[in-house]
Amino acid sequence: MAQRRGLLIILSSPSGAGKSTLARRLRDWDSSILFSVSATTRPPRPGEQDGVDYVFTSEHEFKAQVAAGEMLEHAHVFGNWYGSPQAPVQAAIDAGQDVLFDIDWQGAQQIRNSSLGQHTLSIFLLPPSIPELRRRLEGRGLDDAVTIARRMQKSWDEISHWDGYDFVLVNDDLDQTESHLKTIITATRLRRSQQPDLTGHVRRLQAEFEEQP
């Protein structure tokens, strides 16, 4: 048995609040953290690799996996399906490895309500302001004006679910937010539910105590 169980680390935020950047920084900090590669029915963007950025699949194949109970979570976002295959996540946490999820509130809620919910650490990132959120979206240069407007409209729906998370951070300083994330993860790794050997250790201590003269 692993010395500790892995965590399912969930990062959520409205688009443009910095979760993808912070997810990359966390993996640079600890390369043992695995990134959950989501399956999606949307077409690849330039430079994206199948199996690395996403597992690109057809809608028919995706729905078949959902029906078979093979998705830990799934959601329909901006006209496409996204989901997290359960088998690799289960194998990772059983081996004591943390798995990082960059998903929205719907996916976070499904994971928290799943059989793996007790091993979940959920963190929501808030932008410092709505004008700043728009500036970041426009500065990425990834979306046209219509898509940005749609993302801004959806941002309030995302933000309204902030109180369903274990921790909430205002990302007004990227370095400071990164530091807070590291502290949260380090502490949660020591949570009692993540240390399967503790019960056995306490029983040994009890036995040793009873053997004392």
Side-chain angles (χ1 to χ4, degrees), residues 3-7 9 26 29-34 96-99 121 182-196 198:
Q3 187 173 6
R4 74 171 179 89
R5 291 190 179 92
L7 285 171
I9 304 169
L26 286 177
W29 166 61
D30 186 345
S31 60
S32 71
I33 297 176
L34 301 177
Q97 287 187 284
D98 300 325
V99 184
L121 166 62
K182 292 175 181 177
T183 299
I184 291 167
I185 291 169
T186 299
T188 308
R189 283 171 170 174
L190 298 175
R191 195 166 57 189
R192 184 161 53 89
S193 62
Q194 302 312 115
Q195 301 186 69
L198 277 181

Coordinates of all heavy atoms in Angstrom, one line a residue, residues 3-7 9 26 29-34 96-99 121 182-196 198:
Q3 N 2.4 4.9 0.9 CA 2.6 5.6 2.1 C 1.5 6.6 2.3 O 1.1 6.9 3.4 CB 4.0 6.2 2.2 CG 4.3 6.8 3.6 CD 5.7 7.3 3.7 OE1 6.4 7.3 2.7 NE2 6.1 7.7 4.9
R4 N 1.1 7.2 1.3 CA -0.1 8.1 1.3 C -0.9 7.9 0.1 O -0.4 7.4 -0.9 CB 0.3 9.6 1.5 CG 0.9 10.2 0.2 CD 1.1 11.7 0.4 NE 1.6 12.3 -0.8 CZ 0.9 12.8 -1.8 NH1 -0.4 12.7 -1.8 NH2 1.5 13.4 -2.9
R5 N -2.2 8.3 0.2 CA -3.0 8.2 -1.0 C -2.8 9.5 -1.8 O -2.6 10.6 -1.2 CB -4.5 8.1 -0.7 CG -4.8 6.7 -0.1 CD -6.3 6.5 0.0 NE -6.7 5.2 0.5 CZ -6.8 4.9 1.8 NH1 -6.7 5.9 2.7 NH2 -7.2 3.7 2.2
G6 N -3.0 9.5 -3.1 CA -3.0 10.7 -3.9 C -4.2 11.5 -3.7 O -5.2 11.1 -3.3
L7 N -4.0 12.8 -4.1 CA -5.1 13.8 -4.1 C -5.7 14.0 -5.5 O -4.9 14.0 -6.4 CB -4.6 15.1 -3.5 CG -4.4 15.2 -2.0 CD1 -3.7 16.6 -1.7 CD2 -5.7 15.1 -1.2
I9 N -6.7 17.0 -7.1 CA -6.6 18.5 -7.0 C -7.4 19.2 -8.1 O -7.0 19.1 -9.2 CB -5.1 19.0 -7.0 CG1 -4.3 18.2 -5.9 CG2 -5.1 20.5 -6.8 CD1 -2.8 18.4 -6.1
L26 N 2.3 24.6 -10.9 CA 2.2 23.5 -9.9 C 3.0 22.3 -10.4 O 3.7 21.6 -9.6 CB 0.8 23.1 -9.6 CG 0.0 24.1 -8.7 CD1 -1.4 23.7 -8.5 CD2 0.7 24.4 -7.4
W29 N 6.6 22.9 -10.1 CA 7.0 22.8 -8.7 C 7.2 21.3 -8.3 O 8.1 21.0 -7.6 CB 6.0 23.5 -7.9 CG 6.0 23.2 -6.4 CD1 7.1 23.5 -5.5 CD2 5.0 22.6 -5.6 NE1 6.7 23.1 -4.3 CE2 5.5 22.6 -4.3 CE3 3.7 22.2 -5.9 CZ2 4.7 22.1 -3.2 CZ3 2.9 21.7 -4.8 CH2 3.5 21.6 -3.5
D30 N 6.2 20.5 -8.7 CA 6.3 19.1 -8.3 C 5.9 18.2 -9.5 O 4.8 18.1 -9.9 CB 5.3 18.8 -7.2 CG 5.4 17.4 -6.6 OD1 6.0 16.5 -7.3 OD2 4.8 17.1 -5.5
S31 N 7.0 17.7 -10.2 CA 6.8 16.9 -11.4 C 6.0 15.6 -11.2 O 5.6 15.0 -12.2 CB 8.1 16.7 -12.1 OG 9.0 15.9 -11.2
S32 N 5.9 15.2 -9.9 CA 5.1 13.9 -9.7 C 3.6 14.1 -9.8 O 2.9 13.1 -9.9 CB 5.5 13.4 -8.3 OG 4.9 14.2 -7.3
I33 N 3.2 15.4 -9.8 CA 1.7 15.7 -10.0 C 1.3 15.4 -11.4 O 1.9 15.9 -12.4 CB 1.4 17.1 -9.7 CG1 1.7 17.4 -8.2 CG2 -0.1 17.4 -10.0 CD1 1.4 18.9 -7.8
L34 N 0.4 14.5 -11.6 CA -0.1 14.1 -12.9 C -1.2 15.1 -13.4 O -2.1 15.5 -12.5 CB -0.6 12.7 -13.0 CG 0.4 11.6 -12.6 CD1 -0.3 10.3 -12.6 CD2 1.6 11.6 -13.5
G96 N -0.4 6.6 -4.8 CA 0.1 7.7 -4.1 C 0.5 9.0 -4.9 O 1.2 9.9 -4.4
Q97 N 0.0 9.1 -6.1 CA 0.2 10.2 -6.9 C -1.0 11.2 -7.0 O -2.1 10.7 -7.1 CB 0.6 9.8 -8.4 CG 1.9 9.1 -8.5 CD 2.3 8.9 -10.0 OE1 1.8 8.0 -10.6 NE2 3.1 9.7 -10.5
D98 N -0.7 12.5 -7.0 CA -1.7 13.5 -7.1 C -2.1 13.7 -8.5 O -1.2 13.6 -9.4 CB -1.3 14.8 -6.5 CG -0.9 14.7 -5.0 OD1 -1.5 13.9 -4.3 OD2 0.0 15.4 -4.6
V99 N -3.4 13.9 -8.8 CA -3.9 14.2 -10.1 C -4.5 15.6 -10.1 O -5.4 15.9 -9.3 CB -4.9 13.1 -10.6 CG1 -5.3 13.4 -12.0 CG2 -4.3 11.7 -10.4
L121 N -9.4 17.7 -3.3 CA -9.1 19.1 -2.8 C -9.5 20.0 -3.9 O -9.0 20.0 -5.0 CB -7.5 19.2 -2.5 CG -7.0 20.6 -2.4 CD1 -7.6 21.3 -1.2 CD2 -5.5 20.6 -2.3
K182 N 0.6 26.1 -3.2 CA 1.6 25.1 -2.7 C 1.4 24.8 -1.2 O 1.5 23.7 -0.8 CB 3.0 25.6 -2.9 CG 3.4 25.7 -4.4 CD 4.8 26.4 -4.5 CE 5.2 26.6 -5.9 NZ 6.5 27.3 -6.1
T183 N 1.1 25.8 -0.4 CA 0.9 25.7 1.0 C -0.4 24.8 1.2 O -0.4 23.9 2.1 CB 0.7 27.0 1.7 OG1 1.9 27.8 1.5 CG2 0.4 26.8 3.2
I184 N -1.4 25.1 0.5 CA -2.7 24.3 0.6 C -2.5 22.8 0.3 O -2.9 21.9 1.0 CB -3.8 24.9 -0.3 CG1 -4.2 26.3 0.3 CG2 -5.0 24.0 -0.4 CD1 -5.1 27.1 -0.7
I185 N -1.8 22.6 -0.8 CA -1.6 21.2 -1.2 C -0.7 20.5 -0.3 O -1.0 19.3 0.1 CB -0.9 21.2 -2.7 CG1 -2.0 21.7 -3.7 CG2 -0.5 19.8 -3.0 CD1 -1.4 22.0 -5.1
T186 N 0.4 21.1 0.2 CA 1.3 20.5 1.2 C 0.6 20.1 2.4 O 0.7 18.9 3.0 CB 2.5 21.4 1.5 OG1 3.2 21.7 0.3 CG2 3.4 20.7 2.5
A187 N -0.3 20.9 2.9 CA -1.0 20.6 4.2 C -2.1 19.5 3.9 O -2.2 18.6 4.8 CB -1.7 21.9 4.7
T188 N -2.8 19.6 2.8 CA -3.8 18.6 2.6 C -3.3 17.2 2.3 O -4.0 16.2 2.6 CB -4.7 19.1 1.4 OG1 -5.1 20.4 1.6 CG2 -5.9 18.2 1.2
R189 N -2.1 17.1 1.8 CA -1.4 15.8 1.7 C -1.3 15.1 3.0 O -1.2 13.8 3.0 CB -0.1 16.0 1.0 CG -0.1 16.2 -0.5 CD 1.3 16.6 -1.0 NE 1.3 16.6 -2.5 CZ 2.4 17.0 -3.2 NH1 3.4 17.5 -2.6 NH2 2.3 17.0 -4.5
L190 N -1.3 15.8 4.1 CA -1.1 15.2 5.4 C -2.5 15.0 6.1 O -2.5 14.5 7.3 CB -0.3 16.2 6.3 CG 1.1 16.4 5.8 CD1 1.8 17.5 6.7 CD2 1.9 15.1 5.8
R191 N -3.6 15.2 5.4 CA -4.9 15.0 5.9 C -5.0 13.5 6.3 O -4.5 12.6 5.6 CB -5.9 15.4 4.9 CG -7.3 15.5 5.4 CD -8.2 16.2 4.4 NE -8.2 15.6 3.1 CZ -8.8 16.1 2.0 NH1 -9.3 17.3 2.0 NH2 -8.8 15.4 0.9
R192 N -5.7 13.2 7.4 CA -5.8 11.9 7.9 C -6.3 10.9 6.8 O -5.8 9.8 6.7 CB -6.8 11.8 9.1 CG -6.9 10.5 9.8 CD -7.5 10.7 11.2 NE -8.7 11.4 11.2 CZ -9.9 10.9 11.0 NH1 -10.0 9.6 10.9 NH2 -11.0 11.6 11.1
S193 N -7.3 11.3 6.0 CA -7.8 10.4 5.0 C -6.8 10.0 3.9 O -7.0 9.1 3.1 CB -9.0 11.1 4.3 OG -8.7 12.3 3.7
Q194 N -5.7 10.8 3.8 CA -4.7 10.5 2.8 C -3.6 9.7 3.3 O -2.6 9.4 2.6 CB -4.1 11.9 2.3 CG -5.1 12.8 1.7 CD -6.1 12.1 0.7 OE1 -7.3 12.0 0.9 NE2 -5.5 11.6 -0.4
Q195 N -3.6 9.3 4.6 CA -2.6 8.4 5.1 C -3.1 7.1 5.6 O -3.5 6.9 6.7 CB -1.9 9.2 6.3 CG -1.3 10.5 6.0 CD -0.6 11.2 7.1 OE1 0.4 10.7 7.5 NE2 -1.2 12.2 7.7
P196 N -3.2 6.1 4.7 CA -3.8 4.8 5.0 C -3.1 4.0 6.0 O -3.6 3.1 6.6 CB -3.8 4.1 3.6 CG -2.7 4.8 2.9 CD -2.7 6.2 3.3
L198 N -1.9 5.2 8.9 CA -2.0 5.7 10.2 C -2.8 4.8 11.2 O -2.4 4.6 12.4 CB -2.8 7.0 10.2 CG -1.9 8.3 9.8 CD1 -2.8 9.5 9.9 CD2 -0.8 8.4 10.8

